Amino acid sequence: MTRLRFILTATAIMVLIALALPAPAVAQAQEPRDRRAFEAAAEAAAPMAGRSYAWARCAGLYRSVRLHAGRQALGETRWDYASQVEAALHRRASLERAEEFGQAWPSARVSAEVDIDALARLYLARYHAMIAATGRPWSRDPLWAQDNATCGGLLDGL
């Protein structure tokens, strides 16, 4: 029961922190192809990520695809794959954070979750801007293609 109470408390804290975070940069929604604006907003969304940044960003990318497309559009196989990849990236981001900052595992996991959620929201804002500009969320987005390739490289190292 104590473990359950801790998990519920940690989850409640994470939700409160996520709600307190600023929305993704407005400038990003205005100019979806500006990579520098996205990079600046992404770094601002996870300012204390340290070595875990790439892992958290990739987990955010996979989460954003799942949230944008949904289970039905992705199909069960791709949904499950994206969920598993996101979980593996989340674990690695948490591990990096725990090692770099000496955080206890539960704390590292919650702080990584907050960053992953903020980065996913940033990608989602970009998808909406890309849809407005091109009619497609990511297929015509060179930033998304490059991030997807970078994340593939990280996954090869897991």
Side-chain angles (χ1 to χ4, degrees):
M1 189 63 167
T2 303
R3 182 177 170 101
L4 178 61
R5 184 175 297 142
F6 173 78
I7 292 170
L8 291 175
T9 302
T11 303
I13 291 170
M14 179 184 65
V15 169
L16 290 173
I17 291 171
L19 291 173
L21 291 173
V26 174
Q28 175 59 35
Q30 295 171 353
E31 183 51 58
R33 294 209 166 115
D34 186 353
R35 183 175 189 90
R36 286 176 295 185
F38 185 86
E39 294 296 342
E43 289 176 18
M48 302 300 291
R51 291 189 329 226
S52 72
Y53 176 77
W55 303 99
R57 181 161 167 172
C58 289
L61 175 69
Y62 275 86
R63 179 175 295 174
S64 70
V65 169
R66 285 188 320 105
L67 292 174
H68 177 77
R71 184 185 298 259
Q72 187 173 4
L74 287 176
E76 285 301 316
T77 301
R78 286 186 286 176
W79 177 271
D80 289 344
Y81 173 76
S83 297
Q84 290 168 8
V85 167
E86 179 189 330
L89 291 165
H90 186 180
R91 279 190 301 276
R92 184 59 184 261
S94 301
L95 176 65
E96 291 290 336
R97 197 170 293 228
E99 288 178 358
E100 182 177 7
F101 301 117
Q103 290 180 309
W105 178 255
S107 176
R109 188 136 177 90
V110 168
S111 63
E113 172 64 29
V114 170
D115 287 348
I116 291 165
D117 190 61
L119 291 161
R121 287 188 289 132
L122 190 59
Y123 278 111
L124 287 167
R126 185 172 181 86
Y127 301 159
H128 293 295
M130 288 300 295
I131 290 168
T134 69
R136 300 190 179 269
W138 52 70
S139 63
R140 296 182 182 159
D141 185 358
L143 180 137
W144 188 88
Q146 184 176 356
D147 284 3
N148 198 36
T150 298
C151 293
L154 283 177
L155 290 171
D156 290 342
L158 282 179

